[in-house]
Amino acid sequence: MSEIPETASGVVWQSSPPGSIYDYIRVASFSIGPDGLVDQWSRRAVELFGVTAEEARGKDPVDAFLPADQRERGHRRIREILDGKEWTGLVPFRIPGENRPRGIAEIYVMPSETQSGERAALCIVVDVRALRRIETDLAASQAIFGQSPFGFLLFGTDLTVKRANRRFATVFGGSADDHRGRTVHDYLARPEADRMTAALRKVLETGESVADLQIVGAAPGSSDRRHWSVNLYRVHSGSGRPIGVAGLGIDVTRRQSAAREAASARRNLALLNEAGARIGNSLDLEATARELLDVAVPGFCDLAAVDLYQGLLTGDEAPPGRWGSSHDVGYGAGSAELRRVAVASAVADTPVRVGKPRQSEDDEPAGSTGKSAGATGTAGSTPTAGELCCDESPIEVGSVHRYAFNSACAGALRTGRVRTVPGVDGGLVQSTLVVPMVAHDTVVGLVQFSRAKGSEPFGERDRALAVELAARAAVCIDNARLYRREHERALILQRSLLPPGDPEAAGLDIACRYLPGTVGSEVGGDWFDVIELPGHRTALVVGDVMGRGLRAAVAMGELRTAVRTLAQLDLEPAEVLSHLDEIARGLGAPADAQQSARAHKARGPELSEVYLATCVYAVYDPVTRRCTFANAGHLPPVLVEPGGEALLLDVPPGMPLGVGGEPFEEVQVDLPEGALLALYTDGLVESRDHPLDEGLSAFRGALTDPGRPLEDVCDHVLTTLDTRHGEDDIALLMARIQGLPSEAVGDWRLPREPRSVGRARELARAQLTAWELEPLVDTVELLVSELVTNALRYGEGEIRLRLLRDRTLVCEVWDAGLVQPRRRRAKDTDEGGRGLQLVGLLSAAWGSRRTPRGKTVWFELQLPDGDGSAEPTVDQLLSMF
């Protein structure tokens, strides 16, 4: 029965709601009349025995329900009961019509009287199996609730605690009964209590369970934050009526700590993986520092800055391990100069100002030896005002500065160890890790990682991660430094082999451009040269060694030197390329394999480096305005005649230098006055984004206005073409044709007879007088006389005398003989043999070269400067004897 409510009229009875204890016990009843037969049979008895009231009434209960071996004893008990004796016991029963027992019933038999006063009996029957199930359920419930190692609470429908187990009481104090009637607000702070109450109400109303509800709180008398995982589910009566909510709480504080540690480890691994992928993608020091901060902010810290040694950035050499040593920081300010190369912030757009820091656990008293207990320890004195890692005035990117000697930053640079600097009261920064960037036992700079207040403080894992990030960046920066040093050396070598300044040549206006690859790429083997040849002729050379790096630059230098040497021999262009081809094939051979061609062939291609190069060699004669070309696999020259379009000259390409086996062809082209000639390398017209034909067409289109100044034409070409500069070196050599005027040339043919010597002197004197070069008359007459005399004595055929005036005066004597003159030392007793000595003494330069029909002997004189000192001195003349 339920509670009995009070009303104004008295007591009102109401039926018991579902869920009564009798629903579980299932009590049945029947009565026995004075004759010992069943006269009443309840509905519960029908359910328990499976026999209807009609079947049971009027039967002897002993004969009907008891097994045969129990009937005698049953009849005896019935007689005792009818005599007025109560009895309680366990009785096996069966269903009528069946022989075997169906179950065991606990029967309580009470004597009674009929209306007429006769003895009868009332029997109360309970199924023993139902009782055993209830006992088992109660024992299991008590074991789970009372012996559980987890906190267990049972909340009523009013959300108050109806029952708590011993484990819960152990955590929150008192005995289990002390917690009856309490609410969650007695255990948790208001925000968490409200959240828990809302969850309980939802479970009670909807019946939906809640799993792993995370609750944070503290046990009574403790300030330690604990984490609990709470599972809630609604509890029902046997009839299904909700009677409360059960809550199971598990302390997961350690699991939360382990999860945070695992998350931190995963984050650190992810950061290291990201650092490996993003740091060091370029060979630029500043870019590498920015890549470090891109990884660190905001994934690792909120603020960061990188300082590198100024000497490192300017390319100064330093002995290994001396960056940041006491040797380097012994300046007045306490440290060597550093440059702020990168900053990053996730909390502000402006530099953070940091004031005086609190005492750091890493700091040691002033005057300490700087020893530390661990590898990541610190050394140095306590920072004071003005001795901060981050100055009170923010350091701008690009500024050069020094750290105070006693500052944490200078201490980290000196010792190569991490320093931790706490933030200031009222400031934005919580703490800062000052990490030296160490690579190969060399400190290259400093990185500062800062976390703002509100962020998680730096831990030991963070210190280790900061060291690892800084070390990775330091290695990349040191590699970039080494690469830049080698790259600059290669560039110095490469540029030292190129013509210095603006080359000059007789009859040519020359402009050139050379653009090496960017710092991110290796140096190449492109080169050009302008070589002055006898007779005011000029050799124009453009070449490209295949490959990149120092190897290509060295090969280029060797080929360029060979070109200049061969050019001084005054060989034909095809001959020059043939000799270069032999030299290129020998560049990759080891020293012991260059002794014979047989050894070179036996070496095999797999044991030797292959040096291949392309080259265009052109010789221009300003007197005839004729240019002779020879090509070794290079791009064709471009010629723009006045008023015409740019054309590619049809010069047979030939094979690249180093291939061997194929002769080179020559092509002679007459160049009109004012024409523009361009030699170039493939970096100007070819890239990954467009084919060679498009580049050549664009190059020709950029030469539409060749009349403008030549320097402007070069600039226009480079700014117009899509060269993708940086992928390859670019060499461009342009020349505007300006032949020698006819009045600057004196050309005569002399018969092969003795009087031609005198005639040659007369012609030379007259021409020099016409050119107003009287100070040179005597010297020229003497030297012309010697050369013509030698041509008569040792040469053949007709003699030709030619005087050329440009920046210098050149005299040439031609004949058909093939024997080259040889200078020798005459004895004191010899009457002759001093002619060529005299020529070498009095001229600025002299020499001989072969021609298609003989040879030419020449000498060159500087034009007088107005002081009249052109005659040889007595000492010069006596030095020949």
Side-chain angles (χ1 to χ4, degrees):
M1 299 293 290
S2 63
E3 295 181 359
I4 305 175
E6 297 288 341
T7 64
S9 59
V11 176
V12 177
W13 293 83
Q14 69 180 33
S15 61
S16 176
S20 171
I21 186 64
Y22 297 107
D23 293 334
Y24 297 95
I25 299 177
R26 303 185 68 82
V27 178
S29 65
F30 63 90
S31 62
I32 299 175
D35 55 1
L37 303 179
V38 175
D39 60 357
Q40 291 184 354
W41 190 258
S42 70
R43 294 181 179 177
R44 288 287 181 90
V46 174
E47 295 175 2
L48 177 62
F49 295 104
V51 178
T52 64
E54 291 76 8
E55 295 174 338
R57 280 195 296 267
K59 290 186 178 181
D60 184 346
V62 174
D63 294 337
F65 300 105
L66 293 182
D69 57 344
Q70 298 290 331
R71 289 173 184 172
E72 180 180 355
R73 185 179 179 186
H75 284 116
R76 187 171 58 251
R77 294 295 184 188
I78 290 296
R79 288 193 295 270
E80 293 175 356
I81 292 170
L82 293 177
D83 288 340
K85 185 178 180 180
E86 294 185 356
W87 181 81
T88 302
L90 298 177
V91 177
F93 67 90
R94 67 180 179 84
I95 302 300
E98 297 180 0
N99 294 324
R100 62 183 182 84
R102 173 65 66 85
I104 298 177
E106 183 175 349
I107 301 179
Y108 176 43
V109 183
M110 298 173 291
S112 64
E113 293 182 355
T114 63
Q115 188 175 5
S116 59
E118 294 179 300
R119 297 286 181 90
L122 177 64
C123 300
I124 306 298
V125 182
V126 178
D127 189 348
V128 174
R129 293 175 299 178
L131 292 177
R132 296 292 181 266
R133 283 196 300 268
I134 292 174
E135 291 176 355
T136 301
D137 291 345
L138 288 175
S141 175
Q142 181 61 31
I144 295 174
F145 197 84
Q147 301 174 23
S148 172
F150 310 116
F152 227 134
L153 287 176
L154 179 62
F155 294 91
T157 55
D158 57 354
L159 303 186
T160 61
V161 177
K162 300 300 181 184
R163 187 177 180 185
N165 70 345
R166 186 180 305 169
R167 176 59 182 167
F168 183 86
T170 300
V171 175
F172 287 92
S175 65
D177 292 337
D178 294 339
H179 295 276
R180 297 181 185 272
R182 294 185 181 181
T183 67
V184 293
H185 287 82
D186 296 319
Y187 306 106
L188 302 174
R190 185 178 183 83
E192 292 292 274
D194 291 343
R195 197 159 63 90
M196 181 74 173
T197 301
L200 287 170
R201 185 172 290 110
K202 180 179 179 181
V203 171
L204 187 63
E205 293 174 355
T206 65
E208 297 179 359
S209 301
V210 173
D212 197 22
L213 175 64
Q214 297 294 317
I215 298 297
V216 180
S222 174
S223 60
D224 295 338
R225 288 167 58 89
R226 311 295 296 177
H227 294 261
W228 291 286
S229 173
V230 178
N231 299 298
L232 304 175
Y233 58 92
R234 193 167 67 182
V235 180
H236 304 84
S237 66
S239 62
R241 179 174 62 91
I243 61 174
V245 178
L248 175 66
I250 303 174
D251 191 336
V252 294
T253 304
R254 292 184 179 180
R255 189 173 73 185
Q256 287 288 334
S257 300
R260 284 198 304 270
E261 290 291 324
S264 176
R266 287 194 299 270
R267 182 199 65 184
N268 292 353
L269 288 175
L271 276 174
L272 290 177
N273 182 63
E274 185 181 7
R278 297 180 60 183
I279 298 177
N281 290 324
S282 69
L283 290 171
D284 181 79
L285 279 71
E286 291 85 350
T288 301
R290 290 191 295 270
E291 290 166 354
L292 168 63
L293 299 193
D294 290 341
V295 171
V297 179
F300 176 68
C301 62
D302 302 313
L303 306 155
V306 177
D307 296 320
L308 297 179
Y309 277 109
Q310 177 70 358
L312 183 83
L313 295 168
T314 56
D316 295 346
E317 295 291 341
R322 300 303 294 274
W323 286 108
S325 66
S326 58
H327 173 78
D328 292 312
V329 298
Y331 306 123
S335 72
E337 288 186 341
L338 297 106
R339 186 192 303 173
R340 176 64 52 85
V341 295
V343 295
S345 171
V347 295
D349 296 330
T350 56
V352 179
R353 298 176 181 270
V354 181
K356 181 178 179 180
R358 300 186 300 271
Q359 173 77 20
S360 168
E361 61 180 9
D362 293 335
D363 295 326
E364 299 178 6
S368 66
T369 60
K371 295 183 180 179
S372 175
T376 58
T378 59
S381 60
T382 304
T384 58
E387 300 174 351
L388 308 175
C389 290
C390 300
D391 293 342
E392 293 198 13
S393 357
I395 302 174
E396 300 294 335
V397 175
S399 62
V400 178
H401 61 282
R402 298 176 186 266
Y403 287 116
F405 183 82
N406 290 328
S407 66
C409 293
L413 291 171
R414 286 194 300 272
T415 63
R417 294 175 179 172
V418 184
R419 302 290 297 271
T420 301
V421 180
V424 297
D425 295 332
L428 175 65
V429 174
Q430 179 191 79
S431 61
T432 299
L433 289 179
V434 181
V435 187
M437 304 177 72
V438 183
H440 308 118
D441 298 326
T442 299
V443 179
V444 299
L446 187 76
V447 58
Q448 301 176 46
F449 301 109
S450 301
R451 286 184 179 173
K453 291 183 177 178
S455 299
E456 186 177 353
F458 287 116
E460 287 302 317
R461 288 182 181 271
D462 296 321
R463 290 170 65 96
L465 178 61
V467 172
E468 179 65 22
L469 289 175
R472 292 196 179 197
V475 170
C476 294
I477 287 174
D478 194 51
N479 290 340
R481 174 183 69 87
L482 296 174
Y483 172 82
R484 185 170 67 177
R485 184 183 65 186
E486 297 303 319
H487 186 266
E488 289 176 351
R489 288 177 177 177
L491 285 180
I492 292 173
L493 171 62
Q494 186 182 44
R495 290 168 179 168
S496 68
L497 299 174
L498 297 173
D502 296 326
E504 295 182 356
L508 293 175
D509 180 14
I510 295 178
C512 54
R513 295 290 186 274
Y514 179 78
L515 301 179
T518 59
V519 176
S521 62
E522 297 182 79
V523 295
D526 292 14
W527 92 92
F528 69 92
D529 209 343
V530 178
I531 307 170
E532 294 188 42
L533 301 178
H536 286 315
R537 293 171 306 131
T538 303
L540 303 176
V541 189
V542 168
D544 183 3
V545 176
M546 298 181 186
R548 305 195 63 77
L550 192 59
R551 168 183 174 272
V554 171
M556 177 269 284
E558 295 188 23
L559 291 177
R560 178 180 178 271
T561 302
V563 169
R564 296 191 70 88
T565 303
L566 294 171
Q568 297 304 320
L569 297 178
D570 214 349
L571 302 176
E572 296 297 326
E575 278 191 88
V576 172
L577 294 186
S578 295
H579 287 292
L580 283 179
D581 180 58
E582 293 292 335
I583 293 172
R585 280 190 288 167
L587 288 179
D592 58 353
Q594 294 182 353
Q595 298 177 0
S596 66
R598 183 182 306 171
H600 176 75
K601 293 179 181 178
R603 184 174 75 250
E606 71 279 357
L607 298 179
S608 64
E609 294 182 276
V610 178
Y611 286 82
L612 298 178
T614 62
C615 180
V616 169
Y617 186 87
V619 176
Y620 172 68
D621 188 342
V623 178
T624 62
R625 296 186 180 85
R626 179 173 298 162
C627 192
T628 304
F629 295 92
N631 190 355
H634 202 79
L635 296 173
V638 174
L639 178 65
V640 186
E641 296 186 0
E645 296 182 355
L647 300 175
L648 297 176
L649 292 180
D650 187 13
V651 179
M655 299 299 292
L657 302 177
V659 175
E662 294 292 333
F664 298 97
E665 299 182 44
E666 293 181 358
V667 173
Q668 290 187 346
V669 180
D670 291 329
L671 306 178
E673 183 76 16
L676 186 65
L677 179 65
L679 306 178
Y680 53 94
T681 57
D682 57 358
L684 182 68
V685 295
E686 186 177 23
S687 72
R688 299 176 182 176
D689 298 327
H690 57 258
L692 178 60
D693 292 342
E694 292 183 8
L696 289 173
S697 177
F699 179 37
R700 291 166 56 195
L703 298 174
T704 54
D705 187 14
R708 67 172 68 181
L710 205 54
E711 294 290 338
D712 294 345
V713 175
C714 288
D715 294 335
H716 176 71
V717 167
L718 294 179
T719 55
T720 302
L721 297 185
D722 183 16
T723 61
R724 300 293 186 198
H725 174 51
E727 295 180 0
D728 195 3
D729 294 359
I730 295 175
L732 174 62
L733 177 60
M734 305 188 75
R736 177 171 286 121
I737 306 304
Q738 296 174 349
L740 288 180
S742 58
E743 59 270 16
V745 179
D747 195 352
W748 306 276
R749 297 183 183 274
L750 303 173
R752 190 171 188 80
E753 55 187 29
R755 61 177 184 171
S756 294
V757 177
R759 177 62 178 162
R761 288 198 297 266
E762 293 174 0
L763 294 171
R765 176 181 289 274
Q767 186 64 66
L768 292 178
T769 301
W771 286 341
E772 299 180 351
L773 296 177
E774 287 83 358
L776 299 180
V777 169
D778 292 340
T779 302
V780 172
E781 279 188 333
L782 176 61
L783 299 184
V784 165
S785 177
E786 288 293 335
L787 294 186
V788 173
T789 299
N790 284 343
L792 289 173
R793 181 177 300 176
Y794 305 108
E796 298 178 4
E798 186 181 39
I799 299 173
R800 182 181 178 185
L801 173 64
R802 189 166 76 167
L803 294 178
L804 306 175
R805 177 184 178 180
D806 192 66
R807 291 176 293 118
T808 60
L809 177 67
V810 174
C811 176
E812 298 176 332
V813 176
W814 306 45
D815 69 82
L818 297 178
V819 178
Q820 296 291 321
R822 182 173 60 87
R823 183 176 179 180
R824 64 184 180 85
R825 185 74 178 180
K827 298 179 181 180
D828 295 343
T829 57
D830 291 343
E831 296 182 359
R834 297 181 178 85
L836 293 180
Q837 284 185 264
L838 185 63
V839 172
L841 176 65
L842 299 181
S843 63
W846 78 278
S848 65
R849 68 178 185 274
R850 292 181 181 178
T851 63
R853 297 180 181 178
K855 67 176 182 296
T856 300
V857 183
W858 58 272
F859 67 84
E860 183 176 1
L861 294 174
Q862 298 294 329
L863 298 182
D865 55 5
D867 59 1
S869 58
E871 298 294 334
T873 64
V874 175
D875 292 337
Q876 289 176 326
L877 294 174
L878 291 177
S879 67
M880 295 186 296
F881 297 91

